[in-house]
Amino acid sequence: MESTLKGIRGCDAPGVLDMDDAATVGGGVGDTYGEDCATEDQLVTPWTVSVASGYNLMRDPRYNKGLAFTERERETHYLRGLLPPAIVSQELQERKIMNNIRQYQVPLQRYMAMMDLQENNERLFYKLLIDNVEELLPVVYTPTVGEACQKYGSIFSRPQGLFISLNEKGKILEVLKNWPERSIQVIVVTDGERILGLGDLGCQGMGIPVGKLALYTALGGVRPSACLPITLDVGTNNKDLLNDEFYIGLRQRRATGQEYADFLQEFMTAVKQNYGEKVLIQFEDFANHNAFELLTRYGTTHLVFNDDIQGTASVVLAGLIAAQKLLGGTLAEHTFLFLGAGEAGTGIAELIALEISRQTKAPIEECRKKIWLVDSKGLIVSSRKESLQHFKKPWAHEHGTIGNLLDAVNAIKPTVLIGTSGKGQTFTQDVIEAISSFNERPIILALSNPTSQSECTAEQAYTWSKGRAVFATGSPFDPVEYDGKIYVPGQANNAYIFPGFGLGVVMSGAIRVHDDMLLAASEALAQQVSEENFEKGVIYPPFSNIRKISAHIAANVAAKAYELGLASRRPRPKDLVKYAESCMYSPVYRNYR
């Protein structure tokens, strides 16, 4: 054996058995494998030794407890001397970290501090996020995650998911097997082409899957080890990134057509082969032309969900259902006008039409006629049908040509105005004053993210509507004082829906996603809005109750999966809410033997 090791070392360094005390440094082991005396051109073997030592334990984010290791644990797990003598509770650690994070004035610094904590101490990260969700949600999710993606190449330190590029074509299954966890339940995947309202960020879109899955755990209770963020790097058409020396992705233009389709087909096949039929694949921030195609193509063969199309639709519908309790009446009595006819706008419109159809028993084609969409070329009408993309055609109704939003508002006279345009300040004063002129309580939803892309601010909506608007946004806004009264804007945040939805899918063992499961999620969320919330004009419950909300959403979604025959986990639990709560990951420190 010793001669073999000498051959591997490739130089005349002594072996372990040859060494005396003088040959070692400080009683340690010298250059056993010859790495230090090898030239830069020589190949060395990356030997590692797996020892259950305190040093390794402290550097494993899943098991690290920092100063919270007890006296017994320090003795048993060889931690003596590796930690200062103080023993600190998880609660005190939490207060210290929050105090540190609040010192940062720049949101991106807060984001980086949270990511560092996640890589160092997983349970403390999630405890912090759960206990301070309203304060930290904008840090790990929108709007800060958008800036993080823009600068991802500069702040990147260590990978938090799988990067699968065109270089791996033909080897994607092998790449998936490189991920250390085998029991994956939820995958969030992006190709980075339409990150929030920021456009093509290529490989740097990884911040979105990482952030989404952090919320799957914190808000929905899906355990971290069952979550896998993936970025498919097929290139980028962003010239600034291609010329950026810190860009971390492929430096080539985006693959399209058959090359792109074949790459996605290999990926989807490999995921099912490696993780089975019941892994939830969430498509995230794909461009419109791919998002609808992927959902249509794989919706019948895989357990897939598109948060931009389906998650956004579900959370908006929940707000509209809740608004009916506030205002009275039914959805069928409203006329809806959208600014934006992409994946979010058409997805919301379709789910609203489905809900109206379910309530009134009318054909969905009739229900769609209550919903109008404006895109970059004006109101979508039947005379434009031949030139429309396929997902816009169901919304092409009989009407004269209208070129802008203000004229559309005056002509259609909507009761609900919804913005999914990705363009800021498009709900102008004229537009809001117009819709307020023929509605006592207009419903105005400015949903585009991040904050800078919101169609209007909360202050503008309340001021221009003279405090009459029922208002919600996609990104958070502070309360507004108008005419001596405090107005609290709701946030139609997808984080209300997808964590609980994912938990419901996982705990029922669902094999497919059905539209009725999205409606069930919307109804569950709407039921969580209290009278106290309505008194403030808010149509969404506070995020401080998000785990309770997620448990109810999960229970409703699972119940619908069982009802539709899509659930594979048997027998069905008697109390689905309690079962959902029992399934949720707890970030409280565990005691070690």
Side-chain angles (χ1 to χ4, degrees), residues 313-383:
S314 188
V315 75
V316 172
L317 177 60
L320 294 172
I321 293 172
Q324 305 320 300
K325 299 179 184 178
L326 175 65
L327 304 178
T330 65
L331 281 181
E333 295 169 10
H334 287 276
T335 301
F336 303 85
L337 179 63
F338 285 75
L339 177 63
E343 54 192 275
T346 55
I348 297 167
E350 185 66 12
L351 202 64
I352 292 171
L354 280 170
E355 179 66 9
I356 294 174
S357 177
R358 189 184 66 80
Q359 291 181 4
T360 63
K361 311 301 181 187
I364 192 167
E365 292 78 13
E366 288 299 313
C367 300
R368 288 185 183 128
K369 292 178 181 178
K370 302 282 292 180
I371 303 169
W372 298 81
L373 279 67
V374 173
D375 65 7
S376 59
K377 295 181 175 61
L379 189 67
I380 294 177
V381 293
S382 54
S383 61

Side-chain angles (χ1 to χ4, degrees), residues 227-423:
C227 299
L228 174 55
I230 296 179
T231 290
L232 301 176
D233 186 358
V234 296
T236 178
N237 294 335
N238 187 324
K239 292 180 181 178
D240 292 337
L241 288 181
L242 291 174
N243 294 324
D244 183 351
E245 64 176 326
F246 299 129
Y247 181 56
I248 58 175
L250 290 178
R251 294 181 185 273
Q252 65 180 61
R253 291 186 64 79
R254 280 190 169 272
T256 57
Q258 196 60 45
E259 183 183 13
Y260 182 88
D262 290 346
F263 187 68
L264 264 293
Q265 177 65 33
E266 183 187 349
F267 170 73
M268 296 299 289
T269 302
V271 165
K272 185 184 280 191
Q273 186 174 343
N274 201 47
Y275 299 120
E277 186 85 15
K278 291 181 284 188
V279 61
L280 176 62
I281 305 169
Q282 178 171 313
F283 295 123
E284 194 66 40
D285 286 354
F286 285 77
N288 290 342
H289 56 278
N290 288 323
F292 288 101
E293 174 66 25
L294 292 172
L295 199 55
T296 301
R297 183 186 306 170
Y298 295 109
T300 56
T301 60
H302 292 67
L303 182 63
V304 296
F305 171 71
N306 186 304
D307 191 42
D308 303 300
I309 298 173
Q310 297 166 299
T312 301
S314 188
V315 75
V316 172
L317 177 60
L320 294 172
I321 293 172
Q324 305 320 300
K325 299 179 184 178
L326 175 65
L327 304 178
T330 65
L331 281 181
E333 295 169 10
H334 287 276
T335 301
F336 303 85
L337 179 63
F338 285 75
L339 177 63
E343 54 192 275
T346 55
I348 297 167
E350 185 66 12
L351 202 64
I352 292 171
L354 280 170
E355 179 66 9
I356 294 174
S357 177
R358 189 184 66 80
Q359 291 181 4
T360 63
K361 311 301 181 187
I364 192 167
E365 292 78 13
E366 288 299 313
C367 300
R368 288 185 183 128
K369 292 178 181 178
K370 302 282 292 180
I371 303 169
W372 298 81
L373 279 67
V374 173
D375 65 7
S376 59
K377 295 181 175 61
L379 189 67
I380 294 177
V381 293
S382 54
S383 61
R384 293 179 50 196
K385 202 162 190 176
E386 292 305 314
S387 62
L388 292 173
Q389 294 165 285
H390 68 91
F391 54 86
K392 295 182 182 181
K393 289 183 178 180
W395 312 103
H397 308 318
E398 289 293 336
H399 199 283
T401 302
I402 295 179
N404 61 68
L405 178 62
L406 179 58
D407 289 345
V409 168
N410 285 319
I412 302 300
K413 291 187 167 41
T415 55
V416 181
L417 179 63
I418 300 175
T420 61
S421 63
K423 295 180 180 178

